[in-house]
Amino acid sequence: MAVNEHLRTIRWAAWLGWQMESNWTSPFLFIIYSIIKPIMATLIVVFMYLIILKSVNADPVLFSYMFIGNAFYMYVAQVLFGISWVVHEDREHYQTLKQIYIAPINFPVYLVGRGISKIIITTASVIVTLAFGILVLGLPVNIWKIDWPLLIVAMVLGLFCICTIGIALAGISLLTARHGTGINEGVAGVFYLFCGVIFPITFLPSWGQSIAFFIPITYWLELLRRSMMPETISISGLANYSAQEMMVLLLVSILLFLFFSLIILKYADFLARKKGKLDMTTAY
Amino acid sequence: MIDWRLNLRAVIGRAYPRVIGSFREPSWLFFDIFLPLLGIAAFAFYYQALGAPSVFIGFVILGGAMTAYWLNVLWSMAAQFYWEKEVGNLQLYLMAPMSRMSVLAGMALGGIFFTSVRALSTLALGLLIFGIEIEITSPISLLVVFFLTLFALYGMGMMFSSLYLLYGRGVWHLSSVFQEPIYFVSGFYFPVKALGFWVSLLASIVPITLGLDAMRQLIFAGQETMGFLPVSVEIVVLILLAVVFIYGARVALNFMENLGKREGRLTLRWQ
């Protein structure tokens, strides 16, 4: 019974998210918009690479490491912060958070549902970016040699992990005013810097590497790279870990983050109700 | 007849909440000073991983610092009338007797103040943390380029704000789509010359492209060969851009305001 209700919440929340994301313009313009932004963001790091090393073939392993990490990081940037931004958007811009609260739905499930529309859009962007990399830039990934089971399992676990962290950030957003973008920017910066997104974590100072080992996104990106381009193991700084070990680490960290995220959300929800913050408007 | 005293008061009045508001919320200093360094540090380590000369890390720090101004122009200048419309202030501005340009000028002044704190602190901390040495060839030229860039850039923001005036949620996405593509074509993290002559030329419509290019040449001595155009030429183009954008802002604002009145879209919220 409850499962059916949660599934219905997810379905309609995802539909709402999709409408909000896409119905501001024509489908054609929306597709262009969804493609241009990630491609241009990727081209920044690609050009930085080409200016120094001149050709993809100069260091194809490092290029693949950077390109794959940067492409999949879009999920972190879009889904994680998309979920936390729901609170800000519903509470302050559309002022509908109180209606969501009094509806007979589970709030964390609603947040995940809103995240699903982001996952769909981001998946399209990631596919386009990777296709652009392979077809135009010569990214040395052979789609027939991809370890699909590892890729799919890692994707499912990783997206679940991103959603749980997003729920924690949404909880914090319930209590903050205009700092939503600042918090998102900060967490994005931490993950971009410490998780080996565009450069191997071995280039970080030792204390930075310790932080990297603590964040599950590091293992998630490494698993994705191993499934698509196993040669990147040689430079990742995680060669001592097998895929299975990292999968277990990812799973354990997901459970930990899920536990803490729900506690953070529950406590923030309690404080927000107590302090009357559920319908505050501070940014508009 | 222009009432200069009234318009000056409007400029100060609109700049006031941006300046004073920033002091009333000290936590923004943390968000604005330390958090941008994380992304910049990622690009700096990336250049290290590529084995790039240290001057490229300097380029990243300079570009990263200047992103603050571009973000401010996009979100707090261009999109500002959209926010004002959403909160219900826009009609108050339109009813008040001062020029709309004074309101925009006030927004620009206030925005430049608090954005400069972020940009300058990012630049100073970035150079310090990564130990990048700078050698300014001409401090006066650097100041001229910096202020001309801001003048032209905020002029562009003023012009955009009028174009954004009538739109709904599309504004948010328009600003969003102008972020990464402009970071790329304007060469925020690498010399724009690398994109080739024609792309660099087209990108020069955005004043920060030439501003950054000139600043790179002036702050990192010996890097003139990486410049797109000589600094003197870039200064002349920046002056032209500033004049064109500020005049364009005035024309566009009048046109869009009249259009908005005719179509009844100036008070439309949650589009």
Side-chain angles (χ1 to χ4, degrees), chain A residues 83-100:
Chain A
I83 289 176
S84 68
W85 194 247
V86 166
V87 169
H88 188 83
E89 204 170 38
D90 283 8
R91 183 185 64 200
E92 311 227 355
H93 192 186
Y94 297 106
Q95 297 169 18
T96 53
L97 189 64
K98 41 190 181 292
Q99 280 85 357
I100 298 294

Side-chain angles (χ1 to χ4, degrees), chain B residues 6-255:
Chain B
L6 173 72
N7 284 306
L8 187 61
R9 284 176 61 199
V11 170
I12 295 168
R14 189 60 190 88
Y16 179 86
R18 292 201 164 184
V19 176
I20 299 301
S22 55
F23 287 117
R24 286 186 181 161
E25 184 58 73
S27 64
W28 74 275
L29 281 172
F30 171 77
F31 289 116
D32 273 11
I33 292 174
F34 294 104
L35 299 188
L37 282 172
L38 296 168
I40 291 170
F43 280 154
F45 280 117
Y46 178 49
Y47 264 139
Q48 281 185 353
L50 294 171
S54 62
V55 71
F56 279 87
I57 297 173
F59 292 169
V60 162
I61 293 166
L62 177 64
M66 293 302 284
T67 57
Y69 290 107
W70 179 241
L71 290 174
N72 186 248
V73 163
L74 275 184
W75 296 102
S76 298
M77 281 298 296
Q80 186 62 35
F81 277 164
Y82 163 73
W83 308 127
E84 303 286 9
K85 187 167 62 174
E86 291 291 306
V87 82
N89 280 344
L90 187 61
Q91 56 263 46
L92 303 178
Y93 286 144
L94 298 179
M95 282 190 288
M98 76 289 170
S99 158
R100 321 287 182 252
M101 291 294 282
S102 307
V103 177
L104 289 172
M107 288 191 321
L109 273 181
I112 285 173
F113 169 78
F114 74 74
T115 307
S116 294
V117 175
R118 171 175 176 159
L120 294 175
S121 55
T122 302
L123 186 65
L125 283 172
L127 293 173
L128 197 69
I129 290 168
F130 286 96
I132 305 300
E133 290 181 9
I134 58 171
E135 190 184 336
I136 299 171
T137 50
S138 167
I140 293 172
S141 299
L142 181 63
L143 282 175
V144 169
V145 166
F146 178 70
F147 284 110
L148 272 177
T149 304
L150 292 192
F151 209 56
L153 191 64
Y154 279 83
M156 186 187 210
M158 289 163 78
M159 194 171 87
F160 275 6
S161 71
S162 59
L163 300 177
Y164 278 38
L165 194 61
L166 302 184
Y167 294 103
R169 273 179 299 140
V171 163
W172 200 93
H173 296 286
L174 196 60
S175 281
S176 178
V177 87
F178 277 144
Q179 273 184 218
E180 285 82 359
I182 296 297
Y183 290 165
F184 171 59
V185 296
S186 291
F188 273 75
Y189 301 110
F190 53 82
V192 70
K193 191 181 179 183
L195 294 171
F197 178 79
W198 291 108
V199 176
S200 305
L201 190 69
L202 276 176
S204 300
I205 294 168
V206 182
I208 212 158
T209 307
L210 294 182
L212 258 176
D213 193 64
M215 280 189 262
R216 269 193 293 263
Q217 294 180 58
L218 292 166
I219 291 179
F220 303 101
Q223 303 305 319
E224 291 82 1
T225 52
M226 290 196 195
F228 170 50
L229 296 170
V231 173
S232 55
V233 176
E234 290 178 331
I235 287 175
V236 173
V237 178
L238 282 171
I239 292 171
L240 288 174
L241 287 174
V243 172
V244 168
F245 283 134
I246 290 173
Y247 178 73
R250 187 181 165 82
V251 173
L253 196 56
N254 285 336
F255 178 77

Side-chain angles (χ1 to χ4, degrees), chain A residues 64-82:
Chain A
S64 306
Y65 184 98
M66 171 277 290
F67 199 93
I68 295 170
N70 197 61
F72 283 100
Y73 180 78
M74 283 181 216
Y75 281 108
V76 180
Q78 296 297 319
V79 180
L80 198 157
F81 307 124

Side-chain angles (χ1 to χ4, degrees), chain A residues 101 175 266-278:
Chain A
Y101 252 79
L175 301 174
K266 200 168 175 61
Y267 186 61
D269 168 72
F270 167 74
L271 284 182
R273 287 172 194 254
K274 192 178 171 187
K275 295 183 176 180
K277 291 191 168 189
L278 285 179

